[in-house]
Amino acid sequence: MSGKAERLKDEGSRLQVTAAGATAGLISRFVIAPLDVVKIRLQLQHHSLSDPLLHNHNSSSKSGSGPIYKGTLPTIRHILQTEGLTGLWKGNIPAELLYVSYAAVQFTTYRSITQLLQHTFPASQNKQLPPSVESFVSGATAGGVATAATYPLDLLRTRFAAQGVERVYPSLLSAIRNIYVSEGSTGYFRGLGPGLAQIIPYMGMFFAVYESLRPMLAGLQLPYSSGGAVAGVLASVVAKTGTFPLDLVRKRIQVQGPTRGLYVHKNIPVYEGGLVKTVKTIVRREGWRGLYRGLTVSLFKAAPASAVTMWTYERALRFYVGLGAVGPEEEQGA
């Protein structure tokens, strides 16, 4: 990879980009898995912590509302005490498959859409889009394509992370079979609408901010060549805060269905009518703050995840370019 390249689309071939994206997804997922589990548990907790009646329930209750989580560190301690260390990596197999597939599709699509836009709006004819607009459109498209292509894995990841001591699904294969039998093929896509509504602006904002900051931070000579990581952190915080309510709605809808009452939170409400009605229901029952449950841990997760992903992606891409791993049908600028 040339050290002069300032945009992700300028670096590597399609095959190299795909391989680097998969590598980055694999590593970043394992690093942030515990925070992902904590975030999902907090997002699914719909009741107010100020209600004293709810604090009579404990994690061993088979009938109440399930455990009460009061923040990131207390939630981690609770999971360790009741479910052991492996509880922090629940759903890791579908999540690893998700992250590897998602990152590979995302980076490949981002590169392809950027090149398509530059071909459609050539600079030679003074039709070139502003860099921030180009990055937003490419990022939003890449996020939407990657989410739609890997959504069943995202749903499985959420359901496994929502399991407490009592397991709803004994294994990944049993979960796939159970969902198909009890919910049909559409069951794998519960919450896809809110998922796309969240990821499209999120990835658009992320890549627009990242591509703007990356060239500036690259000249600061930060330790371990971490300019890309810092840009990833800042871009992630901005994008995640702006789109978080839609992510929460997606999680709530993903655990609907016949197994809704079997997860660690026993009384997850029924949400009907899609994205808008679900938002209205949450606001009516929990107030506007209800749309931001788990935001703090989500930022704690998103920031290092984006840093690790972008840092690893750039180094993996440099490694694959060094190997000359270009597909037989490709050339460097393809």
Side-chain angles (χ1 to χ4, degrees):
M1 175 171 55
S2 172
K4 296 181 181 180
E6 292 185 349
R7 304 286 302 282
L8 290 181
K9 60 92 184 174
D10 295 321
E11 303 168 357
S13 69
R14 187 178 295 110
L15 178 59
Q16 292 161 350
V17 167
T18 302
T23 302
L26 178 70
I27 294 175
S28 65
R29 164 59 204 181
F30 187 81
V31 172
I32 56 88
L35 291 176
D36 194 39
V37 171
V38 170
K39 179 186 77 107
I40 290 173
R41 296 285 180 92
L42 289 173
Q43 285 181 315
L44 295 180
Q45 181 167 273
H46 70 94
H47 47 250
S48 171
L49 296 179
S50 63
D51 186 349
L53 296 177
L54 293 170
H55 293 265
N56 294 326
H57 299 297
N58 55 56
S59 62
S60 62
S61 173
K62 295 187 178 182
S63 58
S65 61
I68 305 298
Y69 298 127
K70 303 178 183 179
T72 304
L73 292 179
T75 301
I76 291 175
R77 285 197 295 268
H78 187 282
I79 293 174
L80 287 173
Q81 291 170 358
T82 59
E83 304 172 47
L85 183 62
T86 57
L88 293 172
W89 271 269
K90 280 193 172 177
N92 196 51
I93 292 178
E96 286 285 8
L97 294 173
L98 167 66
Y99 274 59
V100 168
S101 304
Y102 183 94
V105 174
Q106 177 193 52
F107 282 109
T108 304
T109 305
Y110 179 80
R111 175 183 180 275
S112 299
I113 295 299
T114 303
Q115 292 179 337
L116 176 62
L117 290 175
Q118 291 187 337
H119 177 74
T120 305
F121 303 98
S124 60
Q125 300 179 18
N126 295 322
K127 295 181 179 180
Q128 186 176 21
L129 295 174
S132 59
V133 174
E134 182 184 281
S135 296
F136 184 93
V137 173
S138 299
T141 304
V145 171
T147 296
T150 62
Y151 192 80
L153 292 171
D154 184 38
L155 181 135
L156 289 166
R157 179 271 303 260
T158 297
R159 293 199 178 188
F160 274 98
Q163 292 186 144
V165 177
E166 303 170 52
R167 302 178 69 181
V168 180
Y169 304 113
S171 66
L172 178 59
L173 290 178
S174 68
I176 294 172
R177 287 195 298 266
N178 184 292
I179 292 172
Y180 182 77
V181 171
S182 60
E183 304 173 52
S185 57
T186 58
Y188 300 117
F189 294 91
R190 283 185 185 272
L192 177 59
L196 291 174
Q198 181 258 338
I199 202 65
I200 288 174
Y202 173 79
M203 292 314 306
M205 293 168 62
F206 175 85
F207 277 106
V209 175
Y210 177 81
E211 292 281 29
S212 298
L213 294 176
R214 186 176 178 236
M216 294 184 289
L217 293 172
L220 296 181
Q221 296 183 337
L222 296 174
Y224 306 106
S225 302
S226 57
V230 174
V233 168
L234 296 175
S236 179
V237 169
V238 172
K240 178 62 70 174
T241 303
T243 62
F244 185 79
L246 293 170
D247 185 49
L248 181 140
V249 170
R250 173 172 56 122
K251 294 296 188 297
R252 296 279 182 97
I253 294 178
Q254 283 180 327
V255 293
Q256 297 295 300
T259 58
R260 178 180 54 82
L262 303 178
Y263 297 104
V264 66
H265 296 299
K266 306 297 183 184
N267 60 349
I268 297 172
V270 175
Y271 297 108
E272 297 177 341
L275 171 62
V276 175
K277 286 191 176 180
T278 299
V279 170
K280 289 181 178 179
T281 300
I282 293 173
V283 172
R284 185 177 70 251
R285 294 176 177 174
E286 307 169 46
W288 288 101
R289 291 181 61 185
L291 293 173
Y292 290 90
R293 293 191 187 278
L295 174 60
T296 300
V297 68
S298 182
L299 292 177
F300 280 139
K301 182 207 104 171
S306 296
V308 171
T309 297
M310 302 313 295
W311 190 88
T312 305
Y313 172 79
E314 292 186 7
R315 274 139 198 82
L317 184 55
R318 185 177 302 145
F319 172 76
Y320 292 127
V321 170
L323 292 178
V326 182
E329 79 289 355
E330 291 190 305
E331 296 180 359
Q332 193 68 15

